[in-house]
Amino acid sequence: MRIARFTTGDDPRYALVEGAPGAEELVVITGDPIYTTIQPTGERVPLGDDAVRLLAPVIPRSKVIGVGRNYAAHAAETGNALPVVPLLFLKPNTSVIGPDDPIVLPPWTEDVEHEAELAVVIGKVTKNVTVARALDYVFGYTVANDVTARDAQRSDPQWARAKGFDTSCPLGPWIVPGLDVSDLAVRSRVNGQPRQDGRTSQLIFDVAYLVSYISEVFTLLPGDVILTGTPAGVGPIVDRDVVEVEVEDIGVLRNPVLRR
């Protein structure tokens, strides 16, 4: 099952995505599926309709929690030691954009990079949950790009500016509940050229451990998002680039890059 959030020019709505690639239909449902039972309205909208615009499948109610250096090869390429415990940071929900929305490069940075990631969407209030029960609190999974101003990350003691600026958290194209994410490909391309190619089996701290660990620090609320880390191969993005991030069995998240 795939759950999308979309608009045809009116208020955002949710839908199940059915059909083969290139011939998908949106089966419109009532309400927000994180909070209500999924009930189709009977309306079906072709995804390829010119009026349809996919939106970020979730706008976190309180927070996006990032996990730094959670792939050994990425830690090595940035010259950092492996973390002993998950390295956490926050991105505000104002950083979230959806498919095909532009990543707008801030004027105060000259070194912005893409980071392809599996994202976890929380479905229940989660506090001090055990690793064994952690996945019971997950609503589903989506694709994320943890866009990072690398020069600000190097210069600032905290990562808030480097990773929290507006448009720095593309999410999409939809949420897939009930997915086995233990060994999925995580890839990125810039202008069609491959950049990253890792697998979630290479995570230092897996999804269940991350949900449990983070729930000891913060109360996770329905709709909160956890970014699980990026594999090796991060690289620069500049004005007029097109970035694609793909997670196997979920889909492709595409965003153009602009500098105003």
Side-chain angles (χ1 to χ4, degrees):
M1 181 169 62
R2 296 170 290 176
I3 300 173
R5 180 170 166 264
F6 76 102
T7 182
T8 53
D10 49 9
D11 290 339
R13 294 184 286 169
Y14 292 87
L16 306 181
V17 182
E18 295 184 353
E24 297 99 335
E25 281 193 315
L26 298 174
V27 179
V28 182
I29 59 178
T30 60
D32 184 335
I34 292 180
Y35 294 95
T36 61
T37 303
I38 292 176
Q39 295 182 336
T41 65
E43 182 181 0
R44 302 177 75 95
V45 181
L47 181 58
D49 191 310
D50 289 342
V52 172
R53 177 185 165 213
L54 286 182
L55 305 173
V58 61
I59 298 295
R61 270 57 172 185
S62 68
K63 53 194 170 295
V64 178
I65 304 100
V67 181
R69 302 169 191 160
N70 200 25
Y71 285 79
H74 173 59
E77 75 178 347
T78 56
N80 293 289
L82 298 184
V84 178
V85 296
L87 175 59
L88 306 183
F89 59 90
L90 295 174
K91 294 170 83 87
N93 58 14
T94 50
S95 67
V96 173
I97 57 173
D100 295 312
D101 289 338
I103 299 167
V104 181
L105 304 177
W108 41 261
T109 176
E110 296 297 330
D111 184 9
V112 178
E113 295 189 338
H114 59 81
E115 293 191 6
E117 310 208 5
L118 170 72
V120 181
V121 181
I122 297 298
K124 304 174 184 177
V125 176
T126 307
K127 182 63 179 174
N128 293 328
V129 67
T130 64
V131 172
R133 294 195 58 210
L135 297 186
D136 295 339
Y137 292 78
V138 172
F139 177 75
Y141 304 91
T142 191
V143 182
N145 187 353
D146 177 22
V147 181
T148 303
R150 204 65 77 190
D151 46 2
Q153 188 181 27
R154 289 190 294 265
S155 66
D156 296 1
Q158 300 289 330
W159 292 358
R161 187 168 68 116
K163 289 180 170 286
F165 61 87
D166 290 353
T167 76
S168 67
C169 191
L171 296 175
W174 36 63
I175 296 171
V176 179
L179 187 63
D180 179 358
V181 297
S182 59
D183 187 27
L184 299 179
V186 179
R187 304 185 177 102
S188 67
R189 296 177 291 275
V190 177
N191 304 326
Q193 299 300 309
R195 288 277 185 90
Q196 295 175 272
D197 190 357
R199 303 196 68 84
T200 55
S201 55
Q202 299 166 337
L203 287 167
I204 298 170
F205 305 104
D206 66 15
V207 170
Y209 186 88
L210 291 175
V211 172
S212 175
Y213 180 86
I214 293 168
S215 77
E216 295 176 355
V217 182
F218 312 110
T219 298
L220 293 167
L221 301 180
D224 281 355
V225 173
I226 298 171
L227 310 183
T228 58
T230 195
V234 299
I237 52 176
V238 298
D239 185 43
R240 306 300 172 179
D241 279 347
V242 175
V243 186
E244 292 176 299
V245 175
E246 180 177 7
V247 176
E248 184 180 6
D249 292 342
I250 299 179
V252 177
L253 171 63
R254 176 189 179 277
N255 297 94
V257 181
L258 293 177
R259 184 179 290 279
R260 291 189 177 132

